[in-house]
Amino acid sequence: MGSLDLESRSDSSMPQLLLDPRLPASSPSSPLGSPLDTGLVHSRVLPNGIIEHCVQIHDKLTFLDINVDQKVISAASAPCVDLVGKKLEDVFPNDFTLQIVRNMCDEAKGFMDTSLVPRALPDKVAAFNEMPMFLGTRVVGVSGIMRVLLTEAGHFRVVLSFPWPKAANSVSL
């Protein structure tokens, strides 16, 4: 449907999201609004005549993949790649985060055990607000959502998605 615009530009501090030109410019029925409402819109015509609508995203989304069994960050997007391989207690200063991700995985397992559909996961997200997290030498409060993932081998992971924290989100312990 969409793809990332990886071109180097002078305004590259904000990532570009390419939208399918067939998408409507707004979607009032959507609770989140249209992707075009999230930032500045630029359009360009490609040599083949296709018009691409590019949106500058104001907040960079960061993703962390948590291996619940091993209690580590198993994957991360930029700018958090230095967290890959770190123990959860080295990233999150309290046990509450581990408890939440374990509960989500337990609920997913229970759902899968009772579902008539093979490998079915519950379609749920959990929101978190100002969850303390170590980034470098400071603790910041991050807010976002998390979902359970199922690997090819049948193991559970939890992915966290949150906007990259601004300095104003710093919290003290």
Side-chain angles (χ1 to χ4, degrees), residues 77-89:
S77 65
C80 287
V81 293
D82 60 328
L83 298 179
V84 175
K86 287 196 174 189
K87 296 178 187 176
L88 287 185
E89 66 248 21

Side-chain angles (χ1 to χ4, degrees), residues 105-117:
C105 292
D106 289 346
E107 183 178 323
K109 182 177 180 349
F111 182 87
M112 286 181 68
D113 290 346
T114 60
S115 175
L116 299 176
V117 179

Side-chain angles (χ1 to χ4, degrees), residues 62-66 73 75-77 79-84 86-94 97 128-144 146 160-166 169-173:
T62 303
F63 298 91
L64 296 179
D65 181 350
I66 297 176
I73 305 294
S77 65
C80 287
V81 293
D82 60 328
L83 298 179
V84 175
K86 287 196 174 189
K87 296 178 187 176
L88 287 185
E89 66 248 21
D90 295 338
V91 177
F92 299 102
N94 60 40
T97 304
F128 54 91
N129 189 34
E130 294 299 318
M131 182 169 62
M133 179 178 167
F134 289 116
L135 286 181
T137 59
R138 65 188 181 132
V139 176
V140 297
V142 294
S143 300
M146 58 179 81
L160 276 68
S161 174
F162 53 91
W164 180 244
K166 296 172 178 55
N169 288 359
S170 293
V171 296
S172 58
L173 287 178

Side-chain angles (χ1 to χ4, degrees), residues 7-171:
E7 283 186 62
S8 175
R9 296 186 182 179
S10 60
D11 62 350
S12 64
S13 64
M14 289 199 270
Q16 301 284 319
L17 173 66
L18 296 183
L19 300 174
D20 188 323
R22 297 168 294 186
L23 292 176
S26 65
S27 177
S29 63
S30 170
L32 299 177
S34 164
L36 298 179
D37 296 336
T38 63
L40 301 173
V41 179
H42 303 283
S43 298
R44 66 180 180 179
V45 179
L46 298 176
N48 60 4
I50 294 176
I51 299 172
E52 288 182 330
H53 302 289
C54 302
V55 178
Q56 286 183 317
I57 305 298
H58 295 292
D59 291 325
K60 292 182 181 182
L61 284 180
T62 303
F63 298 91
L64 296 179
D65 181 350
I66 297 176
N67 181 324
V68 182
D69 296 331
Q70 295 180 2
K71 302 178 190 170
V72 297
I73 305 294
S74 56
S77 65
C80 287
V81 293
D82 60 328
L83 298 179
V84 175
K86 287 196 174 189
K87 296 178 187 176
L88 287 185
E89 66 248 21
D90 295 338
V91 177
F92 299 102
N94 60 40
D95 293 334
F96 186 66
T97 304
L98 180 59
Q99 194 173 23
I100 291 172
V101 297
R102 277 191 177 153
N103 289 347
M104 290 185 71
C105 292
D106 289 346
E107 183 178 323
K109 182 177 180 349
F111 182 87
M112 286 181 68
D113 290 346
T114 60
S115 175
L116 299 176
V117 179
R119 298 175 67 91
L121 282 177
D123 192 14
K124 288 187 170 184
V125 298
F128 54 91
N129 189 34
E130 294 299 318
M131 182 169 62
M133 179 178 167
F134 289 116
L135 286 181
T137 59
R138 65 188 181 132
V139 176
V140 297
V142 294
S143 300
I145 60 170
M146 58 179 81
R147 288 188 84 130
V148 174
L149 305 175
L150 184 65
T151 68
E152 184 180 12
H155 300 284
F156 293 110
R157 299 284 190 271
V158 174
V159 65
L160 276 68
S161 174
F162 53 91
W164 180 244
K166 296 172 178 55
N169 288 359
S170 293
V171 296

